[in-house]
Structure formats: structure tokens, C-alpha cells
Amino acid sequence: MDLVRIAHLAPIDYAVMAVYFAAVLAVGWLLRRLMRTSTDFFLSGRSLPPWVTGLAFISANLGAQEVLGMGASGAKYGIATSHFYWVGAIPAMVFVGLFMMPFYYGSRARSVPEYLKLRFDEKTRTLNAVSFAVMTVFSSGISMYALGKLLNLLLGWSFDASIIVSALIVLAYILLGGLTSAIYNEVLQFFLIVFGFLPLVWLGLAAVGGWHGLTTQLAMLSSARGFPADAYTHAWRTMGSAAQNPVGVEWFGLVMGLGFVLSFGYWCTDFLVVQRAMAAESMTAAGLPLLDGSGHAVLDYDLATPMLLLRLFPTGMLGLGLTALLASFMSGMAGNVTAFNTVWTYDIYQAHIRKGASDAHYLWMGRAATVAGIALAIAAAYVASAFNNIMDLLQLVFAFVNAPLFATFSLGMFWRRSTGHGAFTGLLSGTLGAAIHHGLTLPAGAGVGIKGGYLGVIHTYPSELAQTFWTAITAWTTCTVITIIVSLMTQPRPDEELRGLVYALTPRPRDSEYNFWKRPATLGVIVLIMTLMLNFVFF
């Protein structure tokens, strides 16, 4: 059911958004002449400067899931949402920069599934390619759903029309300029997102009386919901028991499920993230409910960030903030679609359906896959409507795909004894393990269906996130155990075939030519220390 329109934008707000859409399409139009080969279309010819790919790497993770989803999670779970970054992102980002990317880029693989082929075999690559394609469709659909909801709220458009318009805009600039267009638009979107949302932090805190006012109000809310007074404002203090915090998970489930399995699984193996690096040339208002057409309250955490914008930003600045929000959606959709068309064309179509075709044919197929990916994402957008927090759905998708994949990668990269048969069996078993755990459990208050329980309910979790964290742990553990058992029963590849693909058999690059403070390891340690300090401050 569509929500009642509550926003009334001034002409300057519309003008700011119109300029953004024109700029997005112009980038694709200007780059269309450079899309001569499939490598140009899928990997930007591996010619983009590091600062561009670096900003695109960040922007690809400032999409709708992050901007809208983190706001939703903050409203729903409190400061525990910070764990998505301080525990669930930064350590894994440091790890991928220091250990994983030398393997990816050095192997010259065009995609993450292709790296699996080099390390293991074709069947492992294909299994991952199929599961990853499904994941990108769902992820893009989540972004599309979020944008459709926003346009419905702001402009009064029907949800269906909003979905179609957003899909056509993304489709246009990817078809014209491929990954290069997506990356340069992500750079533009990065600056829009930063400057569009930075004032929101200051205005929001000022509106509730600063940090003291915020903690005071949240303490009352926490007590009213049966939690300790500091459950919404301290990141670790209430993690000793699942019943004492809004997330509904104890510290082990958080650290193992989010901090290790989901975090490393996403940052180290998700091709949407890695693709940006491969393109380089070298190595209070939130708590207010909306009303539906009958005047009834609609509790929807996804609207936390848009509601803050509408209530705190004046005319003109509102246009900038909403444009930043729209940019985050475009970034998320485009990132997933470009990853989908690459994996489909290289790892499924070229590998199994049409081998040995011309480069022009694969370029055509990449564009056709872009259209198909957008169409499938539209269908996935309607699945996302079953959740009142898109971050919950996104993490569930990652638990099915990235959690077992991380086990496969870590064993393949650091244990030379792992085999292709072991990797394939483990990856398949891990995904099935996730499905079984999810099918036998439900979050509190949910009905049997997309949120679980379809095999029978033997356990109920306090929240969707708690269920997802343990689904991820189950998937990773199953994949690890099965991969080890099967690998020990099958013949490993000779060491000479694994050089450059296994850590112990790969020469480490020397960074002695850089100043000490410019070395990746030094910068990584500094970032980890700063993150540890933040965890202590908000303990």
C-alpha cells in the first residue's frame, strides 16, 4: 500500500535533483565512445587512476543499503549499529587490502568466480557465479525498492512507477558507459552523499539537545522496552546476554557472525567490492511514524533517514539532501548491475553456453545481461517490501552467499591442501546449511515464510539480525568442516600449479621504497588502533 505523500518540495529542490539526473546521464553519454571492447565495458580497460577507483570503492558501499539501512538499523537497534563498521567492516577492509587484493589483481582474473577457477576448478567457479548472480539481483532490488519508496513518499508517485523510473535511469547510463560510467558516477555520488548528509548529523544532534539530550531520551526508551538504560547508547556493555540488548544477540554471535563471517565474507569475496579495485591501473525525528491512507501508523525503520531530512533541512538544502539520498540508491543499483553483467558474461555464458565467440559478441551479451539484471532486480524489489529494515534482508542474503564463500576462499588461500572437490562440496553444503538453519528458525513476531520457519520452527530468535548472524555462523562452519574432510580424501594439485594463488607459495611484494608512514601495513595498523579506541569510548 502506498504511503500518503508528506513532502512538499520547492522549485529549487526539484532543480537540484534535475541537475543531478542530467549529470548522471551525461557521464554515460560522454563515455559511450570508449566502450570498444568487453574489457572496456566490464573492467574499464584496467586503466582508471587509483584515486578514482578508491572513491568508487567507498561509494559502492554508500548505497541505499548503507545510507537508508544504517539509519533504519540505528533507529531499531541503537548504537549497536556501529558494529557494522567498527567490527563488521574495518578489520576486514584492512585484511583485504594487505592480503587479498595481491592475489586478485596479480592473477589477472576478470572476476572473483574466475579466481576460484584458477585456484580450484570450473565447477566451484560456476557454483559461486550462480549464487553471486542471485545475490546481486537481490541487492540491486533492495536499492530499487528503497528508491521507489522514497519517490512514493516525496513526490506522491505510485510505488510501481517509481521502480520503473529508477530502473530506466540506471539502465541508461550503464548501457552507454559500462563500468567506467558506473565508477565515475560513483565518484560524483560520493561527494553528493558526503556534503548532502554532513549537515544532517549536526542538525539532528542539535534538535535533540546534543549528545546528552540524545542519551537521556534513549535511556527512557530503553527502559520502557525492558532493556537496561544504556542499551541503546553503549556498544558492548549489554552484549553479555541476548535478552539485554535490542539486537538480541550475545557478544560471541556478534563477533563471530558479523565481525568474522559476514564481514570478511563480504569485503574479501564480494565481486561488487573487488571489481572496483580490479579496474585500477595498478595495484529523534526518526522515531515518528508515517500514516497510511486510513490514518493508521506505519512503523517503518527504513524511513528514518528520509524523515530526518524532511524535518530538519530547509528549502534548497532539502534538495541537496534528497539528491544525496537518490545518489546513494543509484550507486547501489549500478554497482550490483555491473557486477552481475560481468559474472554472467564471463563466468556463466562464456564458460558454459557460448565458448570462443568474438569479443564484440561478449560485449553485446554484457549489455543484454544488464537489461536482464535490471528486470530481475525489479522483481526482487517487491520481495524487499516484506522487511521494515532493508539491512536485515541484505545481511540475510550475505549469510547464504558470502558466509560459505569466505570459508572456501580462506581455506584455498592459506591451506594448499584444499582441493577443488572439497571446495565445491563445502560451498554447496554451506549454502544448504544456511537454508536449513533459516528454515528451522524464526525471529520473534514473524510469520512462516521469507523470514524462515518453512521447515518447522525449533527455535525463535529475538530479532532478524540475531537469526542472520547464527545462519552465517552455521553456513561458514558447515563449509569449513566439509571442505577439510573432502579435501583430505581427494588428491591435491601440485605446488607449481598453485604459485600466485596460495599465500605460502606467492612472493610478497616489497614496499620498502615507500616511506614508513605510506606503507599499507603501517596505515592498516593505524586504522585498527583508531577503531579499537572508538570501541573503548562507546563501550
Side-chain angles (χ1 to χ4, degrees):
M1 177 171 55
D2 291 335
L3 297 171
V4 175
R5 177 183 174 184
I6 64 170
H8 299 280
L9 277 66
I12 188 165
D13 296 318
Y14 284 107
V16 172
M17 288 189 285
V19 169
Y20 164 71
F21 284 122
V24 163
L25 294 174
V27 170
W29 179 259
L30 292 173
L31 293 172
R32 74 191 190 284
R33 297 176 181 269
L34 301 178
M35 299 299 106
R36 301 185 184 93
T37 69
S38 62
T39 302
D40 294 331
F41 186 78
F42 294 119
L43 291 176
S44 302
R46 295 185 182 266
S47 60
L48 298 182
W51 72 270
V52 171
T53 56
L55 287 179
F57 182 93
I58 297 174
S59 184
N61 293 281
L62 286 176
Q65 296 98 328
E66 288 76 23
V67 173
L68 207 66
M70 289 300 176
S73 293
K76 188 174 183 178
Y77 302 120
I79 203 170
T81 304
S82 65
H83 290 309
F84 280 109
Y85 287 100
W86 297 349
V87 174
I90 293 176
M93 291 174 70
V94 172
F95 181 83
V96 74
L98 294 180
F99 297 100
M100 302 290 281
M101 281 314 304
F103 291 93
Y104 287 139
Y105 198 84
S107 69
R108 308 301 290 180
R110 297 168 298 182
S111 66
V112 170
E114 189 170 57
Y115 175 82
L116 283 177
K117 175 188 176 181
L118 295 172
R119 173 59 183 89
F120 293 115
D121 53 26
E122 184 62 51
K123 63 180 182 294
T124 306
R125 170 206 199 180
T126 303
L127 177 59
N128 174 239
V130 172
S131 63
F132 177 79
V134 173
M135 183 184 72
T136 55
V137 165
F138 270 98
S139 188
S140 185
I142 291 171
S143 296
M144 198 175 293
Y145 159 74
L147 180 53
K149 180 187 287 189
L150 182 67
L151 293 177
N152 170 230
L153 169 68
L154 298 180
L155 307 180
W157 293 4
S158 73
F159 180 78
D160 298 334
S162 303
I163 290 288
I164 298 300
V165 169
S166 62
L168 290 176
I169 292 173
V170 174
L171 177 64
Y173 77 74
I174 293 178
L175 282 179
L176 288 169
L179 179 63
T180 305
S181 175
I183 286 180
Y184 275 109
N185 272 310
E186 284 169 352
V187 173
L188 169 64
Q189 290 153 355
F190 169 80
F191 290 106
L192 275 172
I193 291 167
V194 170
F195 290 109
F197 286 116
L198 192 59
L200 187 63
V201 178
W202 183 82
L203 291 173
L205 279 174
V208 296
W211 179 252
H212 176 72
L214 178 64
T215 56
T216 300
Q217 293 189 37
L218 288 177
M220 292 187 293
L221 175 65
S222 183
S223 299
R225 294 185 175 179
F227 299 120
D230 55 2
Y232 283 91
T233 53
H234 287 272
W236 291 100
R237 196 167 294 176
T238 59
M239 284 293 168
S241 169
Q244 296 298 303
N245 63 83
V247 181
V249 67
E250 71 295 330
W251 69 269
F252 178 81
L254 175 76
V255 174
M256 185 66 180
L258 175 64
F260 181 64
V261 178
L262 288 173
S263 171
F264 281 75
Y266 174 71
W267 291 99
C268 298
T269 67
D270 192 327
F271 184 51
L272 187 156
V273 177
V274 176
Q275 188 183 34
R276 271 73 193 144
M278 284 183 169
E281 63 184 359
S282 63
M283 196 64 202
T284 69
L288 296 176
L290 293 175
L291 301 179
D292 61 19
S294 303
H296 298 109
V298 179
L299 183 60
D300 195 332
Y301 294 106
D302 288 333
L303 295 174
T305 300
M307 289 293 289
L308 283 173
L309 288 171
L310 294 176
R311 292 184 175 274
L312 298 177
F313 274 18
T315 298
M317 185 179 288
L318 177 59
L320 178 61
L322 293 177
T323 301
L325 202 56
L326 295 175
S328 73
F329 303 143
M330 297 296 181
S331 174
M333 281 188 282
N336 281 287
V337 170
T338 53
F340 172 84
N341 62 29
T342 303
V343 169
W344 163 263
T345 303
Y346 283 147
D347 299 298
I348 299 176
Y349 184 79
Q350 184 183 38
H352 300 286
I353 300 175
R354 183 75 181 274
K355 298 180 180 180
S358 66
D359 187 77
H361 178 80
Y362 293 128
L363 178 58
W364 172 86
M365 175 49 63
R367 290 195 165 104
T370 301
V371 177
I374 289 287
L376 292 171
I378 291 175
Y382 290 91
V383 176
S385 63
F387 288 73
N388 68 355
N389 181 352
I390 59 176
M391 186 57 68
D392 289 344
L393 174 58
L394 187 68
Q395 295 301 318
L396 178 59
V397 174
F398 288 163
F400 272 78
V401 180
N402 286 349
L405 180 60
F406 173 57
T408 302
F409 264 85
S410 56
L411 287 172
M413 192 163 290
F414 296 105
W415 188 44
R416 72 180 77 177
R417 183 65 179 77
S418 59
T419 67
H421 295 306
F424 175 81
T425 308
L427 191 57
L428 182 60
S429 299
T431 304
L432 291 176
I436 293 171
H437 177 271
H438 186 253
L440 292 174
T441 62
L442 269 179
V448 173
I450 191 174
K451 293 188 177 182
Y454 40 82
L455 298 178
V457 181
I458 63 172
H459 182 70
T460 299
Y461 287 98
S463 70
E464 287 92 343
L465 272 186
Q467 179 197 34
T468 296
F469 290 166
W470 282 102
T471 298
I473 293 171
T474 301
W476 181 86
T477 303
T478 302
C479 182
T480 298
V481 172
I482 297 299
T483 300
I484 292 174
I485 292 174
V486 176
S487 292
L488 292 175
M489 296 171 61
T490 52
Q491 185 68 31
R493 293 170 61 184
D495 284 356
E496 55 267 21
E497 295 182 8
L498 299 178
R499 300 194 185 281
L501 300 172
V502 177
Y503 187 79
L505 301 175
T506 302
R508 260 73 75 189
R510 297 179 178 273
D511 55 5
S512 56
E513 64 271 18
Y514 296 105
N515 292 329
F516 178 77
W517 62 275
K518 287 185 177 181
R519 296 176 186 176
T522 303
L523 296 175
V525 170
I526 292 173
V527 169
L528 291 176
I529 291 175
M530 293 174 64
T531 304
L532 186 62
M533 292 172 62
L534 284 171
N535 277 280
F536 274 113
V537 170
F538 292 95
F539 184 85

